[in-house]
Amino acid sequence: MTASGDAPAAAPARGHTVPDFFIVGHHKSGTTALYEMLRRHPQIFMPAVKEPRYLAADLRALVPSTAGQPQTMQEYLALFDGAAPGQRVGEASPSYLRSRDAARAIAELQPHARIIAIFREPASFVRSLHLHLIEEGVEREQDLAAAVRNEQLTRNGQPVLRYSDNVHYTEQLRRYRDVFGSEQVMALIYEDFRADNRATVRRVLRFLGVDEDVELPMLEANPSYSVRSPRLNDALHSLEGSGTAARAVRRALVTLVPRRARRDALGLLRRKVVYGPPPAPDERVMAELRERYRPEVEEFGDYLGRDLMTLWGYRGA
């Protein structure tokens, strides 16, 4: 997209369409809701696979792929084959913000890409991330304070991530601005998105150069849950994996149960049996987290030119 706001047609590559905008994160910061809204816009195409995360090569080996995620560039580009001529084409992979490789990989694929980065108050972000990782079967420690204190998560004996790796907001945003320049990068604050959903989406549509007057449903997607049954949660995740056993089970289910009925049944099982409402936050732990992340909030606010200390409740805390 040019500085004047004109949207170019997405460039072809090996017979495929290349995405020209990317929602890069973080998890639990409104990325799913924004993705679901934008993909309903007639001038925008986003694939059914949310979070391809193919361009974060440094993280690919740390997080197992789920069914439908691309394993090759050809598979990745094929996700965008359904785009119509003239549509904006995008994808949403929150892990791109944490990745040290993704910004340059995106630039190599599409140097004119527009980047939308979303940032959330760190303490509430880490709490929601902790609940999400328990839900995903990555985190086993139910106590937030202990989980953050332990820091290093592992999968099959290999390090996966550290909670603190996600809260380097200034460094993460600078990484994209250094590659694309400020004009091609939009930094959104999650709390603004929650406070005025419609106004934030209109800003994004203007940034993408599409009609901002199109009425889009205002959504809240991917809410946080607590996991009532870790064992059953693990079993459901094993069905969604990309391993040989998971594929064999899915093939058997396909012959016995229609796809929609299977999806609805699994969703109901999760909502009614596996998941429950999240517990109330422990204010003592939240205060400790705010103290821990205070320097990052102050630095990031200075970098953005915005008083995040007040907005996020760090001033005088």
Side-chain angles (χ1 to χ4, degrees):
M1 185 167 178
T2 63
S4 64
D6 297 327
R14 300 174 188 171
H16 292 295
T17 296
V18 173
D20 55 44
F21 77 90
F22 297 79
I23 302 172
V24 301
H26 273 298
H27 286 96
K28 311 307 295 181
S29 299
T31 54
T32 299
L34 185 58
Y35 157 80
E36 291 291 353
M37 288 182 228
L38 293 184
R39 68 194 296 253
R40 287 164 168 78
H41 194 292
Q43 296 171 332
I44 292 174
F45 176 86
M46 302 189 80
V49 175
K50 192 259 179 185
E51 197 170 346
R53 65 172 183 253
Y54 179 74
L55 298 173
D58 55 329
L59 304 181
R60 209 178 301 149
L62 302 180
V63 183
S65 297
T66 58
Q69 283 187 317
Q71 303 301 308
T72 66
M73 178 61 79
Q74 193 77 359
E75 290 178 357
Y76 174 71
L77 294 175
L79 295 176
F80 310 101
D81 285 350
Q87 279 187 308
R88 270 297 201 182
V89 180
E91 63 123 311
S93 292
S95 55
Y96 287 168
L97 195 55
R98 181 165 62 93
S99 168
R100 294 183 177 277
D101 293 350
R104 293 200 177 278
I106 292 170
E108 290 174 6
L109 181 67
Q110 175 56 278
H112 302 294
R114 292 255 147 171
I115 307 298
I116 303 166
I118 311 179
F119 300 90
R120 180 176 180 177
E121 186 275 306
S124 64
F125 162 62
V126 167
R127 175 176 177 269
S128 290
L129 179 62
H130 173 248
L131 291 170
H132 173 71
L133 293 173
I134 292 175
E135 178 186 331
E136 292 294 305
V138 177
E139 176 64 84
R140 296 294 178 179
E141 176 55 67
Q142 297 281 332
D143 181 72
L144 173 60
V148 174
R149 186 165 55 250
N150 294 340
E151 271 281 41
Q152 185 68 68
L153 289 171
T154 61
R155 188 192 291 270
N156 299 325
Q158 298 298 314
V160 177
L161 62 80
R162 289 158 45 92
Y163 283 96
S164 59
D165 290 342
N166 292 276
V167 189
H168 296 298
Y169 293 174
T170 307
E171 174 188 328
Q172 290 161 350
L173 183 58
R174 183 179 285 125
R175 192 179 295 140
Y176 279 91
R177 285 183 170 180
D178 285 349
V179 172
F180 291 99
S182 297
E183 291 299 313
Q184 289 177 226
V185 179
M186 168 178 274
L188 296 180
I189 301 300
Y190 170 75
E191 288 74 14
D192 293 340
F193 189 25
R194 290 295 303 271
D196 196 338
N197 207 270
R198 194 174 301 278
T200 302
V201 171
R202 287 176 71 94
R203 282 183 58 210
V204 171
L205 297 179
R206 285 197 298 272
F207 178 68
L208 296 178
V210 297
D211 185 359
E212 66 182 82
D213 294 321
V214 171
E215 286 295 324
L216 299 176
M218 299 296 109
L219 304 173
E220 181 177 358
N222 199 21
S224 294
Y225 298 99
S226 64
V227 175
R228 291 191 178 114
S229 173
R231 182 174 296 180
L232 185 53
N233 190 47
D234 289 345
L236 291 177
H237 278 297
S238 70
L239 292 178
E240 297 169 343
S242 57
T244 303
R247 289 195 297 269
V249 172
R250 282 199 300 272
R251 282 196 298 270
L253 286 174
V254 165
T255 64
L256 297 172
V257 185
R259 180 178 179 182
R260 181 171 181 178
R262 187 172 69 251
R263 185 183 65 238
D264 291 347
L266 290 175
L268 182 63
L269 181 62
R270 279 195 167 96
R271 291 192 301 273
K272 298 296 185 181
V273 180
V274 181
Y275 301 153
D282 184 324
E283 290 305 326
R284 178 186 57 81
V285 174
M286 297 300 285
E288 291 174 358
L289 289 175
R290 284 191 290 271
E291 185 60 32
R292 176 175 184 166
Y293 297 126
R294 176 189 293 273
E296 178 63 38
V297 170
E298 189 165 16
E299 180 185 11
F300 191 51
D302 290 343
Y303 183 65
L304 286 181
R306 183 165 180 186
D307 183 8
L308 295 179
M309 295 287 285
T310 298
L311 177 67
W312 284 345
Y314 283 69
R315 195 172 299 285

